[in-house]
Amino acid sequence: MQPILINGQWQKSQSSGSFQAENPAAMTALPEQFPISTWADIDAALAAATTAAAQLNKVSPERIAAFLDDYAARIEARADEVAALANQESGLPVKPRLRDVELPRTVNQLRLAAKAAREQSWAAATIDTAANIRSCLAPLGPVWVFGPNNFPLAFNSISGGDFAAAIASGNPVIAKANTSHPGTSRLLGELAFAALQASDLPPATLQLIYRTSHADGERLIRDPRTASLGYTGSRNAGLVLKRAADELGKPVYLELSSVNPVVFLPGALAERGAALVDEYAGSCTMGAGQFCTNPGLFIVLKSPASDEFIAGIVKKFSSATPGTLLTKRVQDSLVESVDVLQKAGAELLCGGTVGGGTGYSFVNTLLQVSASEFVRKPEALQTEAFGNVALCVVADDVEQIIAVMSHLEGNLTGTIYSSTSGADEKLYAELEPLLRAKVGRLLNDKMPTGVAVSTAMNHGGPFPATGHPGFTAVGIPASLRRFAALHCYDNVRAERLPTILQNKNPTGTTWRMIDGVWSTADL
């Protein structure tokens, strides 16, 4: 049985049982046994994290940054091993996906988080010297991170964006591995712990368990020692955690569900319909569609050009070999989602069956529904099919497109394709405000699948895409602010202030830290 990491020790779990990861390409269980932790493990982790939180308040940002940089270097030094293990547990290709794309993204995030920890601009320090009132963001305390199944490195609970953001903002992290890649999480945990020891941070700055019961998962959120949670996963499980946190007024940050609507305006289809077929089909089938930003729903206005466009997608979907799905549960979920969509009135144009690829797989699937039917059953017809399944909504007129948009749920992304000649400008101006209100990131003439690690990126959106529309899971330093509280100091003696606020004393001036540099600002 693999050990868990609690309070600076790899130790035997007080478990209720065990589980094994699967190789989804071979559809066989992997040999290692991992524990299902009981409350005793969780309680021990929370106790240690509470102590670590107090200790971290006295640690310099430089030491935290040094840990993150060292951890990134250790991942790079073992890159081939990390990618190979992630491939076994996820079925995602070593090259280019894991080794050449996701792993570099992971270490880049860690290094950006280290930079943010050093410069401290995420803390939004503000000094009103005239009133002698000062404020800054400060760590919340112990943060749980629950990682998803589809990014075993870049969103892993012990190496991904939520982990990096929580650590860089000075919080201890208790990572709960995703059960589809526990071995990858264990290896990353070993590398992280080695970096932790080298940086001499508190031993419980990071801890790792693999699995809990659903009841204990809800209980750990309710525990007063838990300050916050970063979660990426299914809507149903996330809402259980959200309800528990909301009852206590506790901030949790959840990425839950998104169909990421794409609107193809008439001028765009008339101008470059064949190219857009390739673009859309490629985005939907890439990685077997297992991206939270997969464009799973598109809207067109009924016309010969849109008929040709839909037929082209059917042809592309039908000729492309589907990729391997992450788990049998993902495969089963696609069966269930397609069934829900069909029962709600969607017509199956292609696919709809299990198989067609290596291991767990599902035939590339396109369904179609009229805009009028969509408006009658918007909730069912926005069922997320996490994988290589898409729904086309066909409108008879612009008023129907407006009606469809008014019934859209909150999404991570929304995209509008329009003519380059200006033929769609009037229609774009009419539709853009409606879509803008429903999404975190608005795109033009570009598929939403990629999420750049940019300071300006918003990987968030209105509910149910996420639990809070004002925050992002990607984009440093903004992502760090999720795991922080605003602390204000009124007439506090200078020597008693946090170091970041012990600056700038000219009378009658307000100072802010912007991009790591103090400057005067008009409040």
Side-chain angles (χ1 to χ4, degrees), residues 1 13-19 34-38 41 211-213:
M1 184 85 75
S13 167
Q14 300 182 63
S15 64
S16 62
S18 65
F19 71 98
F34 292 87
I36 301 171
S37 285
T38 61
D41 287 342
R211 189 170 181 173
T212 70
S213 69

Side-chain angles (χ1 to χ4, degrees), residues 27-48:
M27 297 188 292
T28 57
L30 294 169
E32 290 182 319
Q33 298 279 339
F34 292 87
I36 301 171
S37 285
T38 61
W39 183 255
D41 287 342
I42 297 167
D43 184 53
L46 280 167

Side-chain angles (χ1 to χ4, degrees), residues 119-240:
E119 72 173 18
Q120 292 285 283
S121 61
W122 67 271
T126 304
I127 299 175
D128 180 351
T129 55
N132 196 18
I133 298 174
R134 303 167 187 237
S135 66
C136 65
L137 293 172
L140 276 176
V143 173
W144 285 87
V145 177
F146 289 17
N149 60 3
N150 59 336
F151 279 86
L153 308 179
F155 281 82
N156 192 292
S157 59
I158 202 159
S159 66
D162 284 351
F163 171 86
I167 292 286
S169 50
N171 302 282
V173 167
I174 309 170
K176 190 197 78 67
N178 190 283
T179 53
S180 67
H181 48 252
T184 305
S185 299
R186 184 210 66 236
L187 176 54
L188 290 167
E190 291 170 353
L191 298 176
F193 186 57
L196 185 78
Q197 291 177 304
S199 64
D200 196 30
L201 289 178
T205 297
L206 60 91
Q207 301 178 87
L208 173 67
I209 63 175
Y210 300 103
R211 189 170 181 173
T212 70
S213 69
H214 292 305
D216 281 343
E218 182 176 353
R219 183 180 174 186
L220 68 84
I221 294 301
R222 294 183 182 277
D223 192 288
R225 294 168 294 182
T226 294
S228 187
L229 165 76
Y231 168 93
T232 303
S234 73
R235 186 193 299 198
N236 290 340
L239 289 181
V240 171

Side-chain angles (χ1 to χ4, degrees), residues 22 24 27 325-334 360-361:
E22 274 192 294
M27 297 188 292
L325 298 172
L326 294 161
T327 64
K328 186 177 186 300
R329 177 59 195 142
V330 173
Q331 179 180 278
D332 293 343
S333 179
L334 285 175
Y360 297 124
S361 59

